[in-house]
Amino acid sequence: MVVFAGQGDPRRSLSLLWRADAPPPTRGGPGPKPRLSVDAIVAAAVALADEEGMGALSMRAVGDRLGRTAMALYTYVPGKSELLDLMYDAVHAELPTAYPESDPADWRAALTAWAGEVLEFHVRHPWVLQVSQARPVLGPHEYAGLDTLVTLLRATGLEAGVLRRLVGTLFPFVRGSAQAVADARLAAAATGSSDEEWWAARSAALLELVPDFAERFPAVSGLEAEGPVEPYPGEGTEGAEAVPYPEREARETFRVGLGVLLDGIEAARVGRT
Amino acid sequence: MVVFAGQGDPRRSLSLLWRADAPPPTRGGPGPKPRLSVDAIVAAAVALADEEGMGALSMRAVGDRLGRTAMALYTYVPGKSELLDLMYDAVHAELPTAYPESDPADWRAALTAWAGEVLEFHVRHPWVLQVSQARPVLGPHEYAGLDTLVTLLRATGLEAGVLRRLVGTLFPFVRGSAQAVADARLAAAATGSSDEEWWAARSAALLELVPDFAERFPAVSGLEAEGPVEPYPGEGTEGAEAVPYPEREARETFRVGLGVLLDGIEAARVGRT
DNA sequence: CTTGATACCTTACGGCGTAAGGAATGACCC
DNA sequence: GGGTCATTCCTTACGCCGTAAGGTATCAAG
């Protein structure tokens, strides 16, 4: 399921996101003092989503975590979709925001580091990948993260038009890679079965049900048979066996894909500058 | 919301996917004749998702479309997640399966055509993008589509290990691009407001709430100010004004991103072959 | 002490997926 | 021809969900 965000009143959503609400300091008005806050709710919701996944995120569950009912949250937040916006932007504060020491000539290293950090960010908060990208949330931290990427890309010297499209290519690429890594982990964790077990059950059933698999899909079969499953080439093996195979494969795909993308950017630089 | 698929009994799911069930022909057993079929249910569900989106997909709604109750579906399908698997694989029959006439030397053109078709496929069935990729569905049509891509990539002459990772790069790239296009359309259609209106409301509120935007995010602001918004460069303008701006931008990002990726593949070919 | 705004609660409504069990159907065996 | 019984499809119900409506307790200001 994909959760949609950003559908309420834009004014209200944005002023929550940018924390431009009425300033509470010293404003002791009538009525009981608030025992919650937007930040506390967002923090509880993020913790819940991190620990138990997007499927477990319900207003009742968030309320429970704070020792309150679901309806109590509606005093602070207009609804679930706005809460999701706030969660989304809140975690994006973890994105890298600057590489002050980096050499502008070495845009490749900087972009590689950036992509790695953004990948880890999404692996840490996999539910972020389930927030629909339709209608961007437009929160401060997401903008800050975007600003960092644009700054790094500037170092390539490419023109603004191409740069804009590169942003639109790099972000989805990292998201897609993170999705693959997260999926690999999820598969390993789900139903207590290891990834080997899962694959074993699946491929045994497949082989039985589709005996002519190799003939029907020669290219895929060839690829699976041909490629020797190696550890990271050109990298030390220490501790490598701790990462299960599907995740290792997903990370390697990320590494290779990023290399291809950066090679392509290099080509664009040489060709057009 | 992201909908998860593929969690039921693997045996049952796979035999449904590959239609390896007990053969019904001439088998007139006891009991009333089935007035539905797996295919009819899947077709109705796909039509529903195409027309009204994933959010409208419920067992009751699918049942209604077939003049039956929700529970009637459970005779044919174990549950909603398996139905989703079946829908997913069923539409993947639309993926291109072969380019018999293509010149193997011109892998670039072939991959470009492939990517374009896969993009259109996802734009036609945007709900496919909301099916979680965790635990691949492993259906026949998805495999067929995969086989086609691998065949095209073979023409690059790269080794199997790299090829496998390129598959993992290209597919998410096209999916990400399709997501952007679909989002652009969704934004245009939602709440009856055009994309201009939506952006206008949003950016007006942003400007008011965050007057120092340009100072806080100089790179992003610069990019937006700098890049002249042009139509497709190097392409005829006929009919181009019919496509609204955000979608045009998303498609251009796809075009540029794909070019960068193919340049990167070219570089890998030259460098390592 | 009264007023009135505010935080939080309980209750309830209409949705969801689906478990449980009953009614109708219709090919088979006697 | 009538009983048997697997099978299709139905109704009902349960426990979730987001959230509308309205009540109650709290507390500063007049």
Side-chain angles (χ1 to χ4, degrees):
Chain A
M1 59 170 179
V2 166
V3 186
F4 283 89
Q7 312 199 301
D9 172 29
R11 211 25 228 268
R12 178 81 197 275
S13 289
L14 286 174
S15 82
L16 270 171
L17 275 168
W18 295 81
R19 295 294 194 283
D21 281 5
T26 69
R27 270 282 319 284
K33 287 168 182 155
R35 295 188 284 154
L36 282 176
S37 68
V38 171
D39 292 290
I41 292 173
V42 171
V46 165
L48 182 66
D50 283 347
E51 291 167 25
E52 307 187 42
M54 188 72 104
L57 187 78
S58 73
M59 298 300 271
R60 284 164 170 85
V62 175
D64 274 359
R65 267 197 178 232
L66 297 162
R68 216 113 317 166
T69 67
M71 292 311 290
L73 308 181
Y74 285 85
T75 308
Y76 302 88
V77 157
K80 193 186 182 183
S81 78
E82 287 83 358
L83 173 56
L84 208 60
D85 281 351
L86 290 168
M87 293 168 61
Y88 181 88
D89 199 68
V91 288
H92 276 73
E94 295 175 22
L95 284 186
T97 53
Y99 295 86
E101 77 290 358
S102 79
D103 178 6
D106 199 356
W107 55 270
R108 221 182 147 108
L111 279 177
T112 303
W114 174 87
E117 284 187 60
V118 175
L119 181 84
E120 294 311 325
F121 161 75
H122 283 106
V123 169
R124 243 181 352 255
H125 305 292
W127 54 268
V128 168
L129 297 167
Q130 302 185 24
V131 178
S132 163
Q133 297 291 38
R135 307 203 157 211
V137 171
L138 302 182
H141 296 119
E142 191 186 27
Y143 266 117
L146 200 58
D147 208 69
T148 304
L149 174 57
V150 174
T151 304
L152 294 183
L153 279 173
R154 280 262 182 225
T156 61
L158 288 164
E159 55 158 333
V162 177
L163 238 58
R164 224 178 15 234
R165 276 84 188 230
L166 287 180
V167 171
T169 302
L170 276 168
F171 243 123
F173 167 73
V174 176
R175 279 178 66 101
S177 302
Q179 183 79 253
V181 173
D183 289 351
R185 288 198 177 178
L186 198 145
T191 68
S193 68
S194 78
D195 36 301
E196 282 95 0
E197 284 177 49
W198 189 82
W199 262 108
R202 233 73 176 182
S203 60
L206 245 191
L207 228 79
E208 187 184 344
L209 291 168
V210 195
D212 56 343
F213 187 90
E215 294 152 37
R216 288 175 65 176
F217 311 110
V220 170
S221 303
L223 200 60
E224 279 172 6
E226 199 171 319
V229 175
E230 340 155 18
Y232 292 104
E235 187 167 306
T237 51
E238 97 186 80
E241 54 273 349
V243 181
Y245 170 66
E247 175 172 344
R248 219 163 57 228
E249 185 66 20
R251 288 184 179 276
E252 187 59 13
T253 297
F254 166 69
R255 220 178 54 81
V256 171
L258 182 61
V260 168
L261 270 172
L262 295 181
D263 283 348
I265 293 176
E266 181 75 56
R269 261 165 53 82
V270 174
R272 279 161 229 177
T273 315
Chain B
M1 61 169 176
V2 166
V3 187
F4 283 88
Q7 312 198 302
D9 172 29
R11 207 30 225 268
R12 178 82 197 274
S13 289
L14 286 173
S15 82
L16 271 171
L17 275 167
W18 294 82
R19 295 295 192 281
D21 281 5
T26 68
R27 269 283 318 282
K33 287 171 182 152
R35 295 188 286 155
L36 282 176
S37 68
V38 171
D39 291 289
I41 292 173
V42 170
V46 166
L48 182 66
D50 282 348
E51 290 168 26
E52 307 187 42
M54 187 72 105
L57 186 79
S58 72
M59 299 300 273
R60 284 164 171 79
V62 174
D64 274 0
R65 269 197 173 229
L66 296 162
R68 217 114 313 168
T69 66
M71 292 312 291
L73 309 181
Y74 285 85
T75 306
Y76 302 88
V77 158
K80 193 186 183 183
S81 79
E82 287 84 359
L83 173 55
L84 208 62
D85 281 351
L86 290 169
M87 295 167 60
Y88 181 89
D89 199 68
V91 287
H92 275 73
E94 295 175 23
L95 284 187
T97 53
Y99 294 87
E101 77 292 0
S102 80
D103 177 8
D106 201 357
W107 56 270
R108 221 182 145 108
L111 279 178
T112 304
W114 173 87
E117 285 187 60
V118 176
L119 182 84
E120 294 311 325
F121 160 75
H122 282 105
V123 169
R124 239 177 2 251
H125 305 292
W127 54 268
V128 168
L129 297 167
Q130 301 184 28
V131 178
S132 164
Q133 297 292 38
R135 306 201 159 215
V137 171
L138 303 181
H141 297 119
E142 192 186 27
Y143 265 117
L146 200 58
D147 209 68
T148 305
L149 173 57
V150 174
T151 304
L152 294 184
L153 278 173
R154 281 261 183 227
T156 61
L158 287 164
E159 53 157 335
V162 176
L163 237 59
R164 221 175 21 230
R165 276 86 190 228
L166 287 181
V167 171
T169 301
L170 275 169
F171 243 123
F173 167 73
V174 176
R175 278 178 68 101
S177 301
Q179 184 78 254
V181 172
D183 290 351
R185 289 199 176 177
L186 198 146
T191 69
S193 67
S194 77
D195 35 303
E196 283 95 359
E197 283 176 52
W198 189 82
W199 261 108
R202 234 71 176 182
S203 61
L206 246 193
L207 228 79
E208 188 184 341
L209 291 167
V210 195
D212 57 343
F213 187 91
E215 295 152 35
R216 286 177 64 177
F217 310 111
V220 172
S221 304
L223 200 60
E224 279 172 8
E226 202 171 315
V229 175
E230 336 153 21
Y232 293 103
E235 186 167 309
T237 51
E238 102 186 74
E241 54 274 349
V243 181
Y245 170 66
E247 176 172 344
R248 220 164 55 230
E249 185 67 20
R251 287 182 178 278
E252 186 60 14
T253 296
F254 166 70
R255 220 179 51 81
V256 170
L258 183 60
V260 168
L261 270 172
L262 295 181
D263 284 348
I265 292 176
E266 181 74 57
R269 261 166 52 82
V270 173
R272 278 161 230 177
T273 312

